[in-house]
Amino acid sequence: MNNNNNKFEPKILGIFCNWCTYLAADLAGVSRMDYPANIRIVRTMCSGRVDPQFIFWGFKNGADGILIGGCHPGDCHYIEGNYKTLRRYLLLKRVLKEIGINEKRLRLEWISASEGEKLQRVVREFTEEIRSLGPITEDRAFKLNLIEHKK
Amino acid sequence: MNKIRGDGEIRVGVYVCHCGTNIAGRVNIKEVVEFASKLPYVVVAREYKYMCSDPGQELIKNDIKELKLNRIVVASCSPHLHEHTFRKACEDAGLNPFNFQMANIREHVSWVTKDSKEATEKAKAMVRAAVYRVVFHESLERKSQEIHPDVLVIGGGIAGISASLVLADAGKKVYLVEREPSIGGHMAKFDKTFPTLDCASCILTPKMTQVKDHPNIELFTYSEVEEVDGYVGNFTVKIRKRARYVDIEKCVGCYECIEACVYKEGKFPDEFNEGLSKRKPIYIPFPQAVPLAAVIDPATCIQFLSGKCKRTCQQACERGAIDFNMRDEIVEVKVGAIIVATGFKTFDPSRIPQYGYDRYPNVYTALEVERLVNSSGPTGGEIILRDGRRPQSVGIIHCVGSRDKNYNIWCSRVCCMYSLKLAHLIKERTNAEVYCFYIDMRTPGKGYEEFYHKLMEEGVHFIRGKVAEVTDWAVTPEEEGKLIIRVEDTLIGVVRRIPVDMVVLAVGLEPRTDADEIRRLLNISCSKEGWFLERHPKLAPVATFTDGIFIAGACQGPKDIPDTVAQAEAAAAQALALIDRKRIELEPNTAWIDEEKCSGCHICIGLCPYSAISYNEEKKIAVINEALCKGCGVCVAACPSKAAQQRLFLDEQLYAEIEGALL
C-alpha cells in the first residue's frame, strides 16, 4: 500500500443478490468475520437486476469502487440471471475504460450463501485495491469533467 | 433527493435498535439517532433496546397512529430475520406493510466492524440509504395463490419415513421417492441402536410397513426426482420410475425367481451387505424390504448383457411378474411442499492408506461390522474374520475421516456412540478383548454417558490417542499374524503397539456425492462442506431459503436416529403448517411494463428465464404475465426505455438507496 494514500478511505458500494451474496454477508456477520467498513451494501433480488446505470450512478455519487455479488454460475435462484450479469459486467468494463474510469473499480464476484469467508476476503482485497487506486476523482473521466461529479 | 411521489406529505419514522449490546456495543446509537432525525422527511427518530420485542413494536405502532407516520425505517438486523415482524407491526397499525424499509446495521455493520467510530459512520450511511429509499415506497398489495395440498418427500430413510407418516396421518397425500429398490436407508442395515440396544429392524420394520399400507402415501422406490419446477405451494415434479423388470404389484417376494436364476450362487457384491456377501442379478435387497419385491440389475443380468439367457427366472414366476421389456417411466406430480431427506454417505477409509483398509483383509468399516453382527447379515450374526476365524481381540479406531483437517474438519457426532455400541456387541458375542482408540469421547445425549460408563465396567479398554497406523509388521512373537495398531497413549505419554485380530474403523459421515445435483434441482443452498443449509441454524432448522422446501435428517448434517426423527417430524409439521393455510401470500416484487414507455424492442422477452414476457402484436408492446413472473428484475435492468419496472425494486428506489449509502 502506498504510504501517501494512508489517509484515503475509499467508499465502496456493494450490490448483492438476495439469495447468495447478501446471505454470505449475513453469515460473515453471524460468524463475526471483520472486514473494512468501507463497503455499503445494497440488496437486489438478483444480480441480474443491476442496471448498468446503477454503476454510473454509484460512481457519480462518490463510490470509488463497486462490487457486484451474485450466485455461482449454475446456482442462480432465477436460473440464469447471473449469466446476464456477467455479460453486462464484461461490457461495462469496456465502457468504463472508454470513458476514463479505471475498470478495476468495478468487480463482479460469485459468493454463495455459505461463503462468509470469501466475502470477507473479497471485501478486504477489493478495499485495498481501491485504496491503492486512489479516489475516483483522480480518474480521467472526473478530471475531464465528462461526468458531472457534483450536482 | 429532488423528486418524490405525489401521494401527499411524507412522514418518516426511524427506529434504531440496540439489540442489547449486539449493535449498541459497537455503534454509537445516540449519534445515529441524532443523525437520522435530521434527514429529510424524518418526523421522529427513536432508539430502543430490542425493537423486535413487543414494546419495541408497540413504539412503532403508537407513532404511526399518533404522529401519522406513513413511512417506517428500522435499523437493526438482517431483513431475512425480522423484515416480516416489522411489516406486520406496520400493518397492525393500519399502514401498508410495504412502506417499510430495514437497514441492516447488525450483520453488515456492528458484527463485522472492529472500530467503533467506523461502525457508527457506516450505520449512519445505511440508515440514510434506507430513509432515502423509503420515501419512494408505495402501498402494494400482496397477491395470494392457492397451495396444492400434497407433499413430496425425497429419500426413504428413517427421516423420510417419519416425515411421510406424520403428514399422511394428518390426512395429507404424500409422494415418497426413494432411489434404492427398498425404503429403510442406513437404519435398516443396523443391528442394534444405541444406547438402548433396541433391535433396529424391530422398530423400523413396522414403520416401513405402515408406509406401504398407508392409503395416503404413494411410494416410489427405485425412482429418482428428475425435475422440479414451480414455487412454494405449486411445485410440479417429474419422477423417473426406473425399470425394475419386476412388476411390484404382481410380485409377492417368494424368492422362486431368485432360486431359479441361471447363476447357482451369488456372484456380485451385495450392496445391502456392504459387499460382504454376493447376490444374483435378480435379488431382493433384504428380507424385510418394502416393497418386498425382486429387482433385476441390468448391469449384471445375462439377458441384458447378451440377450441370450434362458430366462429361468421368468419361467419360475407363476404370477408372471417378470417383464424384460419394462422401460423407465416418467410420472408427473403436483405438490405444495417438498421435504428433502436424502441422508449421508460414509467416509471412504481407503483415503487414509495408513489405516490399511483395502490392504489388510481384517480391517473393516463400522458399517461392515454392523452387517456382521446383524442376524440377517452375511454371517447370520456371527462375528468372524474373512478367513473364518473368530477374533480374540478387536481395535476400534474413532474419528476416521472426522475431526481431521486433511479429510473432514467436522465431528460426525454418531461415531463415538456407535463405536461403543459395536464394542458392546462384539464383546457380548465373541468375548474378545476390545480396545477403543479415541481422541475425545463425545457422548452428549439422553443415556449416552451412562452407556459409556457401562462399557467401562464391561472391561472395554479405552486408549486416548490418535492412531498413527495399522500395520502387519510384527516385531515380537506375539505380534505374528496380527494387525498392530500404533498409537501414542496420551494419558500415560508413551507410544504403544497393540496387536489385534480385527480393526474396525469408525468412519465419519459425509454429504452425499450427488448432494450438489439435488441442491441445484431444488434451488437450495449447501454449506461449504456440502450439507444442505437451513434457513437459520437455531430458529429455522428445517426450513431453507427457498420457500416450501424443507430439509430433514443427515442431509442437513451428521445426526443420530432420535435427532433425525425429531427433525423429520418437525419438517412435516412445518410443511403441514404451510399447506394447511390453503392460500399463500406472495411477495409483490413482480415486474410490469409501462405501456406508454414500451417501444416494443423485444429485448426483455428473450431475457426472461420463466417465459413470462410476451409480445402484444396489436399494441406493439411487451406484456408481463405476473402469474409467471418470479421477480428477479433481469428485464428491468435491460429495458432501454425504462418501461419495465419491478415493485419493491423500482429504479428510483434503488437510485435513492445508492445515493444514500454513498453520500
Side-chain angles (χ1 to χ4, degrees):
Chain A
M1 206 178 70
N2 191 333
N3 280 337
N4 300 332
N5 285 338
N6 255 350
K7 279 185 187 149
F8 165 58
E9 283 300 337
K11 274 185 190 162
I12 292 171
L13 174 68
I15 310 181
F16 293 169
C17 93
N18 181 59
W19 305 99
C20 289
T21 314
Y22 193 89
L23 290 176
D26 278 0
L27 177 65
V30 173
S31 319
R32 312 295 202 274
M33 296 169 177
D34 70 291
Y35 52 77
N38 305 59
I39 190 164
R40 314 278 159 85
I41 298 165
V42 167
R43 177 172 67 130
T44 54
M45 292 309 281
C46 178
S47 60
R49 172 68 182 92
V50 180
D51 191 322
Q53 296 204 46
F54 292 173
I55 307 304
F56 299 116
W57 179 254
F59 285 136
K60 183 186 167 183
N61 279 286
D64 298 298
I66 299 179
L67 175 66
I68 305 171
C71 309
H72 285 272
D75 286 1
C76 178
H77 191 83
Y78 304 100
I79 307 174
E80 51 189 25
N82 51 359
Y83 289 102
K84 283 143 197 169
T85 316
L86 177 63
R87 277 193 336 224
R88 265 178 217 145
Y89 167 75
L90 295 171
L91 281 168
L92 262 168
K93 295 274 257 191
R94 286 173 63 176
V95 175
L96 288 175
K97 207 167 160 186
E98 287 294 316
I99 65 171
I101 293 175
N102 193 324
E103 60 178 284
K104 287 183 185 160
R105 294 189 188 277
L106 178 64
R107 181 162 168 175
L108 171 66
E109 283 286 346
W110 311 131
I111 306 176
S112 82
S114 61
E115 294 179 318
E117 280 170 11
K118 182 170 181 185
L119 183 110
Q120 180 190 40
R121 175 173 62 76
V122 167
V123 174
R124 281 181 176 172
E125 269 174 26
F126 192 51
T127 310
E128 281 320 304
E129 178 162 21
I130 300 299
R131 203 190 296 277
S132 72
L133 290 179
I136 192 161
T137 46
E138 297 294 305
D139 278 20
R140 195 170 60 95
F142 287 86
K143 281 187 174 164
L144 293 177
N145 212 13
L146 280 175
I147 294 177
E148 181 198 352
H149 182 55
K150 297 270 180 212
K151 273 193 301 176
Chain B
M1 250 192 359
N2 28 28
K3 57 173 192 156
I4 51 156
R5 297 191 95 74
D7 54 352
E9 193 194 357
I10 286 172
R11 298 173 67 81
V12 182
V14 180
Y15 299 86
V16 185
C17 181
H18 290 217
C19 196
T21 54
N22 282 303
I23 297 171
R26 191 64 36 95
V27 173
N28 184 332
I29 304 273
K30 290 246 165 345
E31 224 179 282
V32 176
V33 172
E34 171 74 18
F35 171 83
S37 67
K38 293 189 182 122
L39 289 170
Y41 303 105
V42 172
V43 176
V44 64
R46 294 189 202 275
E47 55 181 297
Y48 192 70
K49 210 167 170 73
Y50 292 103
M51 278 314 301
C52 60
S53 67
D54 279 349
Q57 294 181 53
E58 281 306 315
L59 201 63
I60 300 174
K61 290 183 203 169
N62 286 339
D63 280 0
I64 291 175
K65 288 175 196 153
E66 282 167 23
L67 301 171
K68 306 211 179 329
L69 301 179
N70 52 20
R71 300 287 190 283
I72 300 295
V73 167
V74 174
S76 55
C77 50
S78 170
H80 282 281
L81 208 62
H82 272 308
E83 189 171 54
H84 184 75
T85 313
F86 296 118
R87 276 182 177 173
K88 180 86 182 20
C90 292
E91 209 170 3
D92 289 350
L95 179 64
N96 183 285
F98 298 100
N99 287 313
F100 166 79
Q101 176 67 18
M102 220 162 157
N104 187 344
I105 61 166
R106 192 179 74 173
E107 280 86 344
H108 292 186
V109 181
S110 69
W111 277 348
V112 292
T113 313
K114 275 186 174 162
D115 184 85
S116 175
K117 207 163 165 296
E118 285 177 9
T120 306
E121 285 309 307
K122 188 173 173 183
K124 283 185 196 168
M126 301 311 282
V127 169
R128 183 175 48 202
V131 170
Y132 278 26
R133 187 193 213 276
V134 86
V135 167
F136 291 97
H137 278 216
E138 50 192 5
S139 300
L140 297 172
E141 256 178 58
R142 279 203 183 95
K143 283 172 299 177
S144 85
Q145 184 99 39
E146 219 167 292
I147 295 178
H148 199 283
D150 299 351
V151 182
L152 170 75
V153 178
I154 309 175
I158 183 61
I161 290 173
S162 308
S164 300
L165 286 174
V166 169
L167 286 160
D169 285 344
K172 303 297 163 195
K173 164 120 190 158
V174 180
Y175 301 99
L176 175 58
V177 179
E178 165 62 46
R179 96 166 70 181
E180 298 295 327
S182 165
I183 55 169
H186 282 98
M187 188 178 168
K189 298 184 176 185
F190 303 159
D191 182 45
K192 298 269 179 355
T193 56
F194 57 75
T196 45
L197 298 172
D198 290 291
C199 152
S201 59
C202 312
I203 53 177
L204 179 64
T205 316
K207 284 196 166 255
M208 287 162 66
T209 323
Q210 266 181 35
V211 165
K212 186 191 70 183
D213 295 337
H214 209 296
N216 290 338
I217 299 179
E218 191 169 336
L219 182 59
F220 293 89
T221 48
Y222 214 47
S223 304
E224 278 177 78
V225 173
E226 198 153 87
E227 219 178 285
V228 178
D229 220 7
Y231 51 95
V232 54
N234 295 279
F235 295 103
T236 307
V237 183
K238 283 200 180 119
I239 301 166
R240 175 180 290 272
K241 283 174 81 172
R242 280 160 61 205
R244 194 179 174 116
Y245 306 108
V246 176
D247 186 339
I248 54 171
E249 298 301 322
K250 291 183 185 160
C251 179
V252 288
C254 67
Y255 283 79
E256 294 287 339
C257 55
I258 301 169
E259 301 282 324
C261 177
V262 291
Y263 283 101
K264 290 274 167 296
E265 295 292 326
K267 198 180 166 211
F268 309 98
D270 184 340
E271 295 85 357
F272 189 77
N273 278 334
E274 296 293 301
L276 291 171
S277 64
K278 305 280 191 208
R279 62 156 172 83
K280 296 179 180 179
I282 184 164
Y283 64 102
I284 291 176
F286 55 103
Q288 302 93 341
V290 168
L292 186 61
V295 56
I296 296 176
D297 171 19
T300 52
C301 174
I302 297 179
Q303 178 60 28
F304 288 99
L305 294 176
S306 67
K308 289 181 195 142
C309 184
K310 283 184 276 179
R311 304 194 198 178
T312 44
C313 56
Q314 203 168 21
Q315 292 153 21
C317 183
E318 285 173 10
R319 302 169 62 90
I322 297 174
D323 175 8
F324 286 101
N325 296 319
M326 222 179 238
R327 292 277 169 275
D328 285 9
E329 216 182 301
I330 305 282
V331 182
E332 197 179 281
V333 299
K334 286 201 182 297
V335 294
I338 299 176
I339 295 176
V340 190
T342 49
F344 64 95
K345 77 173 175 68
T346 50
F347 175 79
D348 171 15
S350 57
R351 285 170 62 195
I352 311 182
Q354 63 269 34
Y355 285 174
Y357 186 75
D358 266 354
R359 286 193 296 132
Y360 303 127
N362 293 332
V363 178
Y364 292 80
T365 68
L367 204 51
E368 286 170 343
V369 178
E370 290 280 359
R371 293 311 299 152
L372 283 182
V373 295
N374 194 311
S375 53
S376 64
T379 57
E382 284 279 318
I383 301 168
I384 43 174
L385 298 170
R386 290 191 212 258
D387 57 11
R389 279 186 303 137
R390 272 187 158 214
Q392 313 218 298
S393 50
V394 178
I396 302 177
I397 303 178
H398 289 221
C399 296
V400 177
S402 309
R403 301 184 68 205
D404 183 338
K405 66 172 190 247
N406 296 317
Y407 306 102
N408 297 322
I409 188 86
W410 60 84
C411 168
S412 295
R413 249 186 84 178
V414 291
C415 330
C416 279
M417 282 305 293
Y418 78 59
S419 297
L420 292 175
K421 173 189 75 182
L422 289 175
H424 169 85
L425 294 175
I426 292 169
K427 215 164 168 53
E428 184 185 69
R429 311 261 168 100
T430 64
N431 209 20
E433 288 296 323
V434 179
Y435 301 87
C436 274
F437 301 89
Y438 67 100
I439 308 175
D440 289 304
M441 194 57 76
R442 297 194 167 176
T443 56
K446 201 171 169 184
Y448 290 11
E449 186 72 10
E450 292 89 325
F451 190 71
Y452 173 34
H453 277 272
K454 176 177 145 161
L455 264 100
M456 282 198 277
E457 279 162 29
E458 282 177 10
V460 172
H461 308 285
F462 289 97
I463 298 173
R464 198 187 81 177
K466 194 171 164 65
V467 170
E469 67 169 343
V470 175
T471 164
D472 62 352
W473 191 25
V475 292
T476 58
E478 56 267 29
E479 289 179 2
E480 287 295 338
K482 300 220 171 210
L483 291 167
I484 300 106
I485 297 173
R486 289 209 314 127
V487 59
E488 184 193 357
D489 188 329
T490 55
L491 289 179
I492 53 174
V494 291
V495 175
R496 296 176 67 178
R497 294 171 62 87
I498 314 270
V500 292
D501 294 320
M502 179 188 208
V503 172
V504 182
L505 302 178
V507 285
L509 273 49
E510 282 185 342
R512 281 198 173 269
T513 29
D514 60 353
D516 213 45
E517 284 162 40
I518 307 264
R519 179 179 68 80
R520 288 187 182 184
L521 195 68
L522 297 164
N523 217 334
I524 55 178
S525 304
C526 279
S527 68
K528 68 173 187 289
E529 298 87 7
W531 305 109
F532 294 141
L533 205 63
E534 62 285 341
R535 195 178 187 109
H536 191 280
K538 305 275 185 298
L539 302 177
V542 299
T544 66
F545 282 104
T546 306
D547 287 339
I549 299 189
F550 305 96
I551 46 176
C555 64
Q556 185 255 358
K559 233 169 247 96
D560 57 14
I561 295 167
D563 286 4
T564 297
V565 173
Q567 204 195 12
E569 297 189 349
Q574 289 277 327
L576 207 54
L578 171 73
I579 55 181
D580 259 1
R581 265 190 269 158
K582 308 273 195 289
R583 295 191 75 81
I584 186 163
E585 297 200 314
L586 301 173
E587 279 286 279
N589 60 333
T590 46
W592 83 95
I593 304 273
D594 184 337
E595 292 193 4
E596 291 194 354
K597 287 184 183 162
C598 179
S599 66
C601 73
H602 280 74
I603 285 179
C604 56
I605 295 172
L607 286 174
C608 180
Y610 301 100
S611 312
I613 315 179
S614 57
Y615 187 69
N616 184 326
E617 290 291 347
E618 221 166 274
K619 291 187 180 169
K620 306 265 182 256
I621 53 162
V623 184
I624 295 181
N625 178 346
E626 287 186 31
L628 295 175
C629 174
K630 305 273 192 298
C632 62
V634 165
C635 55
V636 188
C639 179
S641 44
K642 301 283 133 217
Q645 282 300 326
Q646 182 188 10
R647 292 183 188 86
L648 281 176
F649 293 89
L650 296 172
D651 274 343
E652 51 195 358
Q653 291 170 344
L654 286 161
Y655 282 128
E657 188 177 357
I658 291 170
E659 194 181 343
L662 290 168
L663 271 181

